[in-house]
Amino acid sequence: MADQKAELTIGKEKYEFPIHQASVGPDVINIGTLYKNTNRFTFDPGFTSTAACESAITYIDGDAGVLLHRGYPIDQLAEEGDFLETCYLLLYGDLPNKEQRADFNERVTYHTMIHDQMTRLYSGFRRDAHPMAVMVGVVGALSAFYHDSTDITDEKQRMIASLRMIAKMPTIAAMAYKYSVGQPFVYPRNDLGYAANFLHMCFAVPSEEYKIDPVLARAMDRIFILHADHEQNASTSTVRLAGSSGANPFACVAAGIACLWGPAHGGANEAALTMLNEIGTPDRIPEFIKRAKDKSDPFRLMGFGHRVYKNYDPRAKIMQKTTHEVLGVLGIKDDPILDVAIELEKIALEDEYFVERGLYPNIDFYSGITLKALGFPTDMFTVLFSLARTVGWIAQWKEMIEDPKQKIGRPRQLYTGPTQRDYVPVDKR
Ligand code: SDX
């Protein structure tokens, strides 16, 4: 169907802009000629109504609480699939058949080790450094060790770099954890699945065999699936913008990790558990709900609200189910923090302030409780988010690099600073 047109009238002048159709969700008005024709910019800080790119990877319907990866609903992928086949889906566009799946899994498995000289980078950090600081540093340094896969114009190098990122993130993340607790690094093992290998690298110690509970490994794998990709969120947009200048993929992922760290974004899982611990008991919930509604108080309910979801985040539902599974397997009958979380959710969802603003629990609300039960310290939660999101960042970066229309991202501005004025010598100021 031919593109529809949008009309804009400024004074006596009329301007037309083509409307491009989406396969599902909002169409877009292409305003690429706006500045040339009207000498004006659009203005949309925070990009609440702006599509920065065309993508075929992930679709979110915030009102219906729907999340599709290449058309497959997140709940089906999380229940029936596994993380590596989700990686394949995000990267290549379809679920792998048996041979493709085996080949992809093997290629990832044989890239899990990192250059041994990189282990020295860790000793440059204080033991009590936040592990996200270590992740930004070590991942950014990957290009210093793997410069044979940094030529982004070479498809083969792009794929090797993608595999290396997906394969090495668990190793780098586990080493950041081991370094923080003063335990020796544990090398990856090729006989373990992706999530089991990660748990082994985190929690095994040389002095005894680490027994991996398959239910916990499955829960870890599912948590990775839930965090894999999420359309053009802040950190993905950071990776795309960094990549648009031709920066190598390792540097782009390091930029994504830095952005994800913020408490308004991926850092919310750490902040949500800290908040739940601060609330401590259900009777203190009303005090925090009051603070969350008080405009003079910067406090917000961490793990609540979302730029796109104005309904329940479908990932939060699956995360809540996983929380109960993990606590059950671990025999944690009554986790007081889980009781606070469930009561807080109940009260908030009955409060008109939250209901009229469409503020529901997001993926970060329950993830912290699960990750804590799995044995991770709070400051590792966002590291796990960055581990899982690496495939989303890489898939979106690859899609951008392979788009023939791609050009460097360079937004403009509404300038409200001083107009031109002459320099004043210091003795005349
Ligand atoms: C992630 O983008 C993604 O896709 C991100 C993510 C992904 O997978 O990549 O889903 C991961 O980052 C999830 C979000 C994690 N962040 C948090 O849980 C932090 C707490 N949430 C808020 O900071 C906030 O909800 C945001 C940042 C998530 C969204 O903010 P928006 O879209 O800019 O919304 P807003 O700030 O304009 O809020 C609209 C209204 C405001 O009140 P009014 O001005 O209308 O009176 O809702 C209020 C806000 O004050 N509000 C909250 C609130 N979130 C929004 N009030 C209390 N507590 C909150 N959590």
Side-chain angles (χ1 to χ4, degrees):
M1 185 176 146
D3 278 345
Q4 288 177 298
K5 294 255 185 272
E7 260 186 27
L8 175 68
T9 305
I10 303 176
K12 293 194 176 50
E13 297 295 326
K14 274 195 189 313
Y15 304 92
E16 276 198 350
F17 302 94
I19 293 177
H20 303 325
Q21 266 198 309
S23 44
V24 62
D27 295 341
V28 299
I29 301 171
N30 184 336
I31 51 154
T33 58
L34 178 80
Y35 176 52
K36 191 173 70 164
N37 295 342
T38 70
N39 197 34
R40 290 176 175 82
F41 300 134
T42 56
F43 187 62
D44 182 17
F47 311 118
T48 52
S49 305
T50 296
C53 64
E54 179 177 340
S55 180
I57 298 174
T58 291
Y59 171 69
I60 304 172
D61 179 334
D63 296 328
V66 166
L67 167 56
L68 307 177
H69 288 318
R70 303 284 191 178
Y72 294 99
I74 187 66
D75 51 328
Q76 292 179 27
L77 292 170
E79 299 298 340
E80 297 166 52
D82 67 37
F83 181 65
L84 281 186
E85 78 168 4
T86 304
C87 290
Y88 185 97
L89 174 67
L90 291 170
L91 284 169
Y92 294 108
D94 270 311
L95 288 168
N97 62 32
K98 279 206 185 73
E99 295 72 31
Q100 290 163 332
R101 180 190 166 108
D103 170 60
F104 184 76
N105 289 8
E106 187 178 322
R107 284 192 289 155
V108 170
T109 299
Y110 284 89
H111 276 90
T112 48
M113 286 181 72
I114 63 172
H115 190 296
D116 219 43
Q117 210 170 306
M118 290 192 78
T119 56
R120 292 188 212 157
L121 292 172
Y122 289 80
S123 53
F125 291 92
R126 285 172 45 140
R127 290 275 181 184
D128 61 354
H130 194 293
M132 281 297 276
V134 176
M135 292 302 290
V136 171
V138 175
V139 172
L142 281 169
S143 56
F145 291 85
Y146 298 101
H147 28 69
D148 59 337
S149 61
T150 52
D151 173 359
I152 60 156
T153 61
D154 176 343
E155 186 185 1
K156 194 165 170 295
Q157 289 196 36
R158 283 202 301 272
M159 197 28 75
I160 293 173
S162 304
L163 283 172
R164 277 174 164 159
M165 277 301 351
I166 293 164
K168 296 181 193 312
M169 279 298 273
T171 310
I172 292 168
M175 289 169 74
Y177 170 62
K178 281 304 202 189
Y179 184 74
S180 73
V181 293
Q183 288 183 359
F185 297 142
V186 174
Y187 285 102
R189 279 180 30 186
N190 295 343
D191 61 331
L192 295 177
Y194 192 86
N197 201 11
F198 175 64
L199 291 175
H200 183 262
M201 289 190 283
C202 287
F203 300 122
V205 287
S207 37
E208 62 184 24
E209 196 204 342
Y210 174 71
K211 288 192 177 45
I212 296 161
D213 182 319
V215 177
L216 300 187
R218 175 77 190 117
M220 187 80 260
D221 192 80
R222 186 182 301 148
I223 291 169
F224 289 158
I225 295 172
L226 295 178
H227 288 81
D229 189 52
H230 212 237
E231 202 210 68
Q232 305 311 319
N233 58 84
S235 52
T236 298
S237 301
T238 301
V239 170
R240 277 182 172 260
L241 197 55
S244 74
S245 74
N248 72 70
F250 305 113
C252 295
V253 169
I257 294 171
C259 176
L260 186 76
W261 194 356
H265 190 13
N269 54 15
E270 176 177 352
L273 193 73
T274 303
M275 174 192 74
L276 292 171
N277 282 317
E278 195 188 338
I279 295 173
T281 52
D283 61 306
R284 293 195 63 207
I285 289 174
E287 170 198 334
F288 283 82
I289 293 270
K290 189 164 170 283
R291 282 189 56 197
K293 291 153 66 169
D294 176 359
K295 294 301 169 201
S296 63
D297 187 333
F299 172 77
R300 287 195 164 175
L301 279 191
M302 301 318 280
F304 256 80
H306 199 277
R307 171 61 58 77
V308 178
Y309 290 123
K310 300 308 171 193
N311 194 326
Y312 218 99
D313 181 338
R315 303 168 297 175
K317 279 196 185 121
I318 304 164
M319 184 57 78
Q320 192 189 35
K321 183 167 162 274
T322 306
T323 303
H324 289 294
E325 241 176 61
V326 167
L327 295 182
V329 163
L330 294 171
I332 302 173
K333 293 272 177 291
D334 50 351
D335 178 345
I337 297 303
L338 179 60
D339 297 342
V340 171
I342 291 170
E343 186 60 15
L344 173 59
E345 175 187 346
K346 184 171 164 297
I347 296 173
L349 296 188
E350 287 161 1
D351 183 306
E352 68 170 39
Y353 172 92
F354 295 91
V355 174
E356 68 187 23
R357 290 171 176 78
L359 302 176
Y360 288 83
N362 59 50
I363 189 163
D364 295 311
F365 188 63
Y366 285 102
S367 57
I369 298 168
T370 319
L371 297 174
K372 172 174 164 267
L374 285 171
F376 294 102
T378 313
D379 63 8
M380 275 294 290
F381 293 174
T382 312
V383 171
L384 302 187
F385 194 151
S386 68
L387 186 169
R389 185 53 58 89
T390 293
V391 63
W393 289 331
I394 284 289
Q396 300 266 355
W397 166 81
K398 183 173 166 292
E399 182 180 64
M400 177 199 64
I401 295 290
E402 292 168 359
D403 176 354
K405 301 191 296 297
Q406 186 266 331
K407 54 172 66 174
I408 190 167
R410 206 287 187 203
R412 301 306 300 272
Q413 63 180 8
L414 167 65
Y415 178 70
T416 53
T419 53
Q420 185 164 333
R421 52 185 170 164
D422 295 329
Y423 182 81
V424 179
V426 67
D427 52 6
K428 290 200 169 35
R429 289 175 203 162

